[in-house]
Structures are given as C-alpha cells and as structure tokens.
Amino acid sequence: MKTIITFIIVFGILVLVHEFGHFFFAKRAGILVREFAIGMGPKIFSHQGKDGTAYTLRILPVGGYVRMAGAEEDEVELKPGMMLSLMVNEENKVIKINTSKKVQLPNSIPIELLEYDLEKELYIKGYENGDESEEVTYTVDHDANIIEPNGVEVRIAPVDVQFQSAKLSQRMLTNFAGPMNNFILAVILFTVSVFMSGGVTVTNTNRIGDVQPNSVAEKAGLKKDDQILSIDGKKVDDWQGMITLIQENPEKPLAFEVKSGNETKELTVTPEKDANVGKIGVSVPRKDSLTDKLLGGVTETINNSTMIFKTLGSLFTSFNLNKLGGPVMMFQMSSEASKAGIETVIWLMAMLSVNLGIVNLLPIPALDGGKLVLNVLEGVRGKPLSQEKEMIITLVGVGLVMLLMILVTWNDIQRFFF
C-alpha cells in the first residue's frame, strides 16, 4: 500500500505539473482548454469551472492530458439522425447540448439532428419533438456547453478559440511549456534534495563517495574517494560509465583497477544482484559548500540530463531495452524509494521529472517535441501542413510510441518479476 501511494503521488505530481504548463500557456494564448484530466480511463469526478474547462479525475493514475479546442483528439462527433436534447436561454439560443444517455436535462427540447455547425455559423438544425413535417433551426451561443456521451460537460469550440487560431509563437510556447515545467520542477526538487542530503552529486568523475558498511564494496577493500580507473579492462571515465558496468554484471567477479591515494591496486569485486541488476554499495561523491548547495538544483538537473542524453545516444550504437523503463520500472523505483524515505522519494521525483521533460522533447510525432518540429516546419513554409497529413504523421507517431511502450513494459515485467 505504501508503494502504491508513493507511485500515485510521484506520478500524479509529475503529470499535473507537465499538463499545467500546457494549460497555463494555452489560456494565455486565448485557446480554449475543454478538459484538464488527471489519470486515464473512466472519470471519477468532473467539474466545469467558470473558465469553461472541465476538470476531471480519472480512474487510472497513469497519465493525464489537456484537451485544447481544435486538436485532433478533441473532436466531439455528431451525426445526422442522432437524438439530442437542447437547453435554450430567454433569447432562444442554445446554451447546452446533451448527447449523453446518462444525463437528463430538465426542461430541454428533444431534437433529431439534421445538420449543425459549432465552429463558424453556430447553429443546429433538426426535427423537434419527433415532428418530421418541419425543420427547426436554433442559434447556438458562443459559450454553449455540450454534454458528451460519457457524461463529461465541456464547452463547444468555435474557431476563434481553437488551437490553430493562436499565433505560431504562442502555439510553440504552449507545446514547450509541459517539458519546461518538468525542468523547473526538477530544479526545485533537486535543490531540496541537495540541502537534505548535504551536497551536490558529482557524476563527471570516476571517484566514489561513501561506501556502505558491510557492503560488497567495503568487503572488497574499496574506500571513500578511491578512483575506479577500469573495470574488467574497460576504462572508466565517469560515474555513469562505472555504474553501467556494475549494473550489467550482477554476481559476476569483476577486476577493478583502483587508485587509492598515490597507490594503484587491483581488486576483485562481485556485484550483488538486486532486481536483476548489479550493485556494490557505493554512493556518488558530493560537493557540500553553501554555493554548491544553492546552485545544486541546476547542477543536478544538468548532470541528470547529460546522463539521459548519453543513454539515449547509446541506443543508436547498441540498442538494449534494459536502458529504458516504463510504468513498471517507475513502480519498482517507487517501491525502493518509499522504503528509503522521503529524501529518496524527492530525488526520484526530480530525476523522473527530468526524464519526462527530455523524452517529451524528442522529435517524435505525438510527443511535444514532434509538435514543435511541425511548428518549426510551419514557420519555414509559411503555412501549416494540411490536417490530413498532420493526422497521418501523428497516428504514425502514436503507433511507434505505443509499440515502444508495450515492449518496454513487457521487458520491465520480465526483469523485475521473473
């Protein structure tokens, strides 16, 4: 239960901060945000604010989204022949359209839909009360609501409040704002972590920090501030390189070339197996001056970003799914963090926030980075791609991302549970 709560809190905060970035800058650009959702799947709670946004909480705590007017995924499909119920105001303008069988509107007008336009001309035409002898046309209010089949009430999306109606610069900032918020959150959390832990980690070194009592490292003869020059003949230049070699070789005796003070010596270290990866019980070295601590959030964010870029780069030279992780790995890491305490949870959240920011900026269609590429292409061409081409590109991107997520999730299950 503790692990589940930690996972939900960590994942929920990361998603909330990311999506709030998109939400905030969309609002500033005059784009209608029809729904701000935390979680996926069926809704648990929904409330429409005065700003026209439906704030929803959904049952699966594994994501979230911001539905902006005019986006492909924002379509509310109405078809001729559908039965609707309309609520009108004193001026006989439609202020609410009900398409849901789950919701009953008191004093509403039943209508069989013939045609409609909720973007430009704002009207609904149909047969009222089943009378097919006469067509009736209603004007729709600019700020009217529509109740979707699942019961969620959102604003209609006239063209002037749609995403594509905003300036290109505003749309680019809206797309970038999610990852940007993740980087800001990472800096804040890493700063808190630095002060709690007593210093800033140094990853561009082959020197080790503290050695845990009774650990594999201590038993093998490793000491604080020792430099690991090579492991099994492979040169070690930085912390990430050392950790990667250790993690990839659980329960395998490794020959360490170690510089301890002015002495260079050979040690045999056998990493113990933990969640199918090797570990020896050493921590990263730290800088602990006040200046280093105050700048620690930025430093740690840069260090972790560098490590992530190196890992992503290594995928092109030696692809290995073990270098990637999905929700299962996040759950496993949340489990370990919850056992270690609040300091570890904060550090984990900061690290995952950097990961989320960078991954979302990858130039893959359907991710924020892919959308930014399309924005740049629009700026160069002087006009956007056609909706059909953009939809095809997005669908291809969604397919690739989903395929990768399935492979990564299955690999995580195999690693951690079998």
Side-chain angles (χ1 to χ4, degrees):
M1 182 59 70
K2 188 177 180 181
T3 297
I4 293 172
I5 293 172
T6 302
F7 175 77
I8 291 174
I9 291 173
V10 168
F11 205 88
I13 291 175
L14 294 181
V15 171
L16 178 65
V17 169
H18 180 94
E19 297 301 338
F20 182 77
H22 295 310
F23 171 82
F24 179 79
F25 284 95
K27 287 283 191 181
R28 288 195 55 161
I31 300 166
L32 171 66
V33 177
R34 304 182 77 182
E35 183 181 0
F36 186 109
I38 297 299
M40 306 293 281
K43 71 179 178 69
I44 300 173
F45 169 81
S46 177
H47 169 73
Q48 189 181 48
K50 293 181 180 180
D51 56 358
T53 300
Y55 298 89
T56 60
L57 184 65
R58 295 180 177 271
I59 197 166
L60 299 175
V62 288
Y65 55 86
V66 168
R67 277 178 59 189
M68 287 178 259
E72 295 86 355
E73 64 272 16
D74 180 59
E75 300 289 339
V76 179
E77 191 171 13
L78 299 180
K79 295 180 179 179
M82 283 183 67
M83 292 303 301
L84 310 173
S85 57
L86 309 179
M87 181 179 288
V88 298
N89 60 14
E90 295 176 353
E91 300 171 355
N92 214 35
K93 275 189 173 183
V94 175
I95 57 173
K96 193 171 291 188
I97 305 162
N98 184 18
T99 70
S100 176
K101 295 179 181 178
K102 300 178 181 179
V103 179
Q104 297 297 321
L105 286 181
N107 303 318
S108 60
I109 302 168
I111 188 170
E112 181 183 340
L113 183 65
L114 289 177
E115 60 180 83
Y116 71 99
D117 184 346
L118 300 180
E119 293 188 347
K120 297 179 181 178
E121 298 182 27
L122 302 182
Y123 73 88
I124 285 182
K125 181 186 293 186
Y127 298 126
E128 187 176 314
N129 292 311
D131 182 3
E132 298 185 5
S133 63
E134 184 178 1
E135 295 179 0
V136 178
T137 301
Y138 283 95
T139 300
V140 179
D141 188 80
H142 181 278
D143 294 330
N145 290 335
I146 182 167
I147 302 174
E148 300 178 313
N150 61 7
V152 175
E153 185 171 332
V154 297
R155 283 268 178 94
I156 64 170
V159 69
D160 62 300
V161 294
Q162 290 187 11
F163 183 78
Q164 289 297 334
S165 296
K167 295 178 182 177
L168 177 60
S169 58
Q170 293 174 320
R171 284 182 276 136
M172 291 185 73
L173 185 54
T174 299
N175 285 329
F176 177 69
M180 178 185 72
N181 266 21
N182 283 125
F183 295 131
I184 293 172
L185 176 64
V187 170
I188 294 171
L189 291 174
F190 273 132
T191 301
V192 173
S193 177
V194 162
F195 274 90
M196 291 180 72
S197 62
V200 184
T201 59
V202 182
T203 58
N204 60 344
T205 179
N206 57 5
R207 183 168 56 87
I208 62 174
D210 291 327
V211 178
Q212 295 175 8
N214 299 316
S215 64
V216 168
E218 185 184 62
K219 292 174 182 176
L222 287 172
K223 298 177 181 178
K224 183 177 180 179
D225 291 330
D226 281 355
Q227 287 180 276
I228 311 301
L229 303 179
S230 69
I231 298 177
D232 264 10
K234 297 177 181 177
K235 186 180 179 183
V236 173
D237 294 315
D238 56 25
W239 182 260
Q240 181 60 32
M242 177 180 65
I243 292 301
T244 299
L245 288 170
I246 293 170
Q247 289 179 339
E248 290 177 349
N249 294 282
E251 300 181 337
K252 178 185 175 183
L254 301 175
F256 275 54
E257 184 183 2
V258 181
K259 185 176 182 182
S260 185
N262 296 321
E263 178 188 0
T264 300
K265 55 188 178 181
E266 293 275 350
L267 298 175
T268 299
V269 184
T270 304
E272 63 181 352
K273 190 175 184 178
D274 183 24
N276 284 339
V277 297
K279 72 173 188 178
I280 63 173
V282 294
S283 63
V284 63
R286 298 178 185 275
K287 295 178 181 179
D288 56 6
S289 71
L290 179 60
T291 301
D292 286 323
K293 288 180 180 178
L294 291 173
L295 297 175
V298 175
T299 304
E300 289 282 27
T301 301
I302 293 172
N303 288 342
N304 277 268
S305 298
T306 303
M307 289 168 57
I308 294 166
F309 281 120
K310 284 184 177 180
T311 301
L312 290 172
S314 70
L315 289 174
F316 293 97
T317 56
S318 57
F319 184 81
N320 188 336
L321 283 175
N322 287 337
K323 296 176 180 177
L324 302 173
V328 175
M329 176 174 273
M330 283 188 61
F331 187 84
Q332 181 69 20
M333 294 171 73
S334 297
S335 175
E336 295 298 322
S338 65
K339 295 173 186 175
I342 185 65
E343 182 183 325
T344 305
V345 172
I346 291 173
W347 182 88
L348 171 65
M349 197 185 307
M351 183 193 69
L352 291 175
S353 194
V354 175
N355 271 267
L356 186 60
I358 290 176
V359 169
N360 267 281
L361 283 178
L362 295 178
I364 299 173
L367 297 182
D368 296 326
K371 294 174 183 177
L372 285 167
V373 169
L374 292 177
N375 291 149
V376 172
L377 183 61
E378 178 183 341
V380 173
R381 296 175 75 238
K383 61 179 181 180
L385 288 177
S386 66
Q387 283 191 338
E388 292 78 11
K389 289 180 180 177
E390 189 169 331
M391 185 173 294
I392 291 171
I393 292 172
T394 301
L395 287 174
V396 170
V398 169
L400 291 173
V401 171
M402 288 301 295
L403 177 61
L404 184 60
M405 281 299 297
I406 291 170
L407 292 174
V408 168
T409 301
W410 176 249
N411 186 62
D412 284 348
I413 292 172
Q414 295 286 90
R415 272 199 293 173
F416 296 117
F417 300 108
F418 296 101

